[in-house]
Amino acid sequence: MRSDQWHLRTLASAEANRITQGEGVTVAVPDTGVSPHPDLAGNLLRGINILDEGSSDGQGDRNSHGTGMAGLIAAHGQGETQGARGIAPKAKILPILSSTVDNRSDPDDLGRAIEYAISSGASVISISSAGGSSLVLRDAIKSALTANVVVVAAAGNRPMDNQVGYPASVDGVLAVGGVDRDGNRAAVSVTGPEIDLVAPAVDIYSTSIDGKYRKGTGTSDATAIVAGAAALIRSKYPYLPAREVAHRLTATAIDKGAPGRDDEYGYGVIDLVAALTADVPPLGFESVNASAGPTTAGAQPGDDEGGATARGLVTLGVILAAGVGWAVVARRRRRGDDPPPRISR
């Protein structure tokens, strides 16, 4: 099974996991529920069944989609070579059954799921669905962003979708597209000015129901992979604001397609190791001269946890001291804005 997970090798996941494995981070997965699996043992929390007025803990899945997404985020496999492994194998999964057995989610149900995730302390929410919106869902997304939660969402899949769906289309939400084994845009991945990042999305192996495994293709899988990457960053830099986590992912992405941000690849393919180790100036301070002092949220390889914490606090302090409002600092570049400067890795 592990040998089939080509995306782990492509993303140098093993190297990234020598830095952090997502310890201390909870990722909410509003989906078809998450079935208990040997590769998720110890990482699966008690959640909720939104569709049944909270009468179950979300640990049930008749579809396998939610279980697959959870595995891509936090499966730990069985030993060094057996079973499936996620990007952040020591992160916790908060399962929320908010989609029907055919993987359809009512916007209000998704909104309620997000509110539950916020109240339960999730610091990353992985939304592997794209569709319409509602007042409940819009308010929930706004609440999540205000609550310093990293929200990652699928852009959508062709031919069912022809544009970036909701909530990926919301500024502040990381909109994820997909690439194939060759690093080219996956045929299934929609395009648009809202795309922020891309990740592997073709023939992606992960956990399934009844202790089995599944192979999936689509931006759902890419989204779960990016959510795992966000969990790694939140574990490494626990004081880094959510928008800075997103910025770290986009600033260190490997550029693809037209130079800079484009509608197919966004800022590029996620680079796990660079996202954890590169020296990334905080939003609004990209041009600060390195000689001016430790104003970045980055860390060099080998920095200890204390150093990472200090840099996270310094970043927040610099932002506040400069009087830059949250809304201004938080704004990510989209829709044709200049790309962020390439960072030192």
Side-chain angles (χ1 to χ4, degrees):
M1 175 61 212
R2 191 76 56 81
S3 63
D4 291 324
Q5 292 190 286
W6 65 269
H7 67 280
L8 297 181
R9 297 185 295 276
T10 296
L11 299 175
S13 176
E15 184 179 352
N17 284 162
R18 286 194 286 270
I19 302 169
T20 177
Q21 295 188 31
E23 299 91 336
V25 177
T26 296
V27 182
V29 180
D31 211 291
T32 60
V34 178
S35 178
H37 191 286
D39 296 355
L40 285 165
N43 288 356
L44 188 59
L45 303 174
R46 292 180 62 86
I48 193 172
N49 182 346
I50 293 293
L51 302 184
D52 197 23
E53 298 182 356
S55 62
S56 78
D57 58 10
Q59 293 191 15
D61 182 4
R62 293 183 295 163
N63 177 287
S64 87
H65 190 270
T67 306
M69 300 308 104
L72 290 172
I73 297 166
H76 48 64
Q78 301 168 49
E80 293 298 319
T81 60
Q82 301 301 309
R85 189 173 176 91
I87 299 297
K90 290 188 178 178
K92 301 296 186 184
I93 295 293
L94 180 68
I96 306 175
L97 202 168
S98 58
S99 297
T100 60
V101 69
D102 59 353
N103 197 26
R104 296 183 181 275
S105 181
D106 178 83
D108 283 359
D109 290 334
L110 180 56
R112 292 165 59 206
I114 292 168
E115 291 290 358
Y116 176 80
I118 298 168
S119 65
S120 299
S123 60
V124 179
I125 300 177
S126 180
I127 305 173
S128 287
S129 62
S133 68
S134 70
L135 179 59
V136 172
L137 179 54
R138 290 193 297 272
D139 286 347
I141 292 293
K142 185 183 300 183
S143 295
L145 298 177
T146 301
N148 195 34
V149 176
V150 178
V151 182
V152 187
N157 297 331
R158 299 177 186 271
M160 181 179 297
D161 305 308
N162 56 23
Q163 61 184 11
V164 176
Y166 197 92
S169 58
V170 177
D171 192 30
V173 173
L174 272 172
V176 181
V179 293
D180 60 21
R181 290 174 182 257
D182 296 322
N184 298 317
R185 183 182 66 83
V188 72
S189 182
V190 300
T191 62
E194 302 89 354
I195 299 291
D196 290 306
L197 289 165
V198 290
V202 176
D203 296 337
I204 305 299
Y205 285 84
S206 185
T207 47
S208 184
I209 57 178
D210 301 324
K212 298 177 181 179
Y213 298 94
R214 72 189 293 274
K215 180 175 73 172
T217 291
T219 57
S220 287
D221 302 84
T223 296
I225 290 170
V226 172
L232 294 181
I233 297 173
R234 300 227 87 163
S235 179
K236 175 69 174 174
Y237 307 112
Y239 292 97
L240 201 62
R243 287 283 194 150
E244 293 290 342
V245 173
H247 173 55
R248 179 165 277 274
L249 284 166
T250 56
T252 58
I254 300 169
D255 193 22
K256 291 282 294 183
R261 204 217 72 84
D262 63 74
D263 289 356
E264 285 192 298
Y265 300 96
Y267 291 110
V269 182
I270 60 167
D271 186 329
L272 298 180
V273 176
L276 292 171
T277 62
D279 188 16
V280 181
L283 280 164
F285 291 83
E286 292 91 340
S287 62
V288 171
N289 191 300
S291 64
T295 58
T296 73
Q300 297 303 318
D303 279 2
D304 58 22
E305 184 177 353
T309 298
R311 268 174 292 278
L313 291 171
V314 168
T315 298
L316 188 56
V318 169
I319 292 172
L320 295 176
V324 181
W326 177 263
V328 175
V329 172
R331 181 178 177 271
R332 288 208 319 283
R333 298 178 180 84
R334 275 186 175 179
R335 301 174 179 86
D337 289 355
D338 292 335
R342 306 314 299 168
I343 47 74
S344 58
R345 302 183 180 179

